Amino acid sequence: MPFDQGGLEILDAEECRSLLAAASLGRIVFTDRALPAIQPVNFAFTGDDVVVRTSASSRLAAAAGDAVVAFEIDDFDATDRSGWSVVVVGRAHAVTDSADLAALRDLPLHPWAPGERDHFLRIRADIITGRRIPDGGAHPHQHTSQRTV
């Protein structure tokens, strides 16, 4: 398994896609009024696309339509010092085609937030990367030392 410079295991694209397909909650990073914004969202992963259902009047819909965004999912266990993270980078588009909308409405994607949520954003996964903390939080060939704070 390859490791990055920080000693984290690099996940291949297939494992990243598998983790995306199994998850239901992530964070979308977008620009809102020239500032970075992060919003938790539930989502579906279909093909190579992340699909988010929101309100047409939401700040996410206004800011992320036809913009490059990042999307992240993760899982961490502080006790075991283990975890992983997957990041998708791509352009978000509002879905307007009636056939596409009908197919997306059939996805098991039900908004958690109250109110009308009939606006769909599709994020094409142009870049998918993932990292995993090796078992015990240390690379097998890396020297670790105990520090007290």
Side-chain angles (χ1 to χ4, degrees), residues 37-49:
I38 302 171
Q39 183 172 320
V41 293
N42 62 319
F43 73 100
F45 186 68
T46 177
D48 261 355
D49 297 337

Side-chain angles (χ1 to χ4, degrees), residues 33-85:
R33 294 172 289 194
L35 295 172
I38 302 171
Q39 183 172 320
V41 293
N42 62 319
F43 73 100
F45 186 68
T46 177
D48 261 355
D49 297 337
V50 172
V51 178
V52 176
R53 190 172 186 166
T54 188
S55 164
S57 62
S58 69
R59 69 184 186 125
L60 173 60
D66 202 34
V68 174
V69 301
F71 180 81
E72 188 262 351
I73 61 170
D74 57 43
D75 186 43
F76 293 96
D77 184 324
T79 303
D80 291 342
R81 296 180 56 180
S82 64
W84 54 263
S85 174

Side-chain angles (χ1 to χ4, degrees), residues 88-135:
V88 169
V89 177
R91 188 167 293 279
H93 294 282
V95 178
T96 57
D97 179 78
S98 59
D100 285 345
L101 285 169
L104 295 180
R105 286 187 186 103
D106 288 339
L107 290 173
L109 178 57
H110 308 286
W112 294 6
E116 191 70 27
R117 305 278 186 251
D118 282 337
H119 186 77
F120 288 87
L121 289 175
R122 181 189 307 266
I123 304 163
R124 170 61 68 180
D126 293 326
I127 301 170
I128 301 176
T129 59
R131 301 287 185 271
R132 177 179 289 125
I133 300 169
D135 291 340

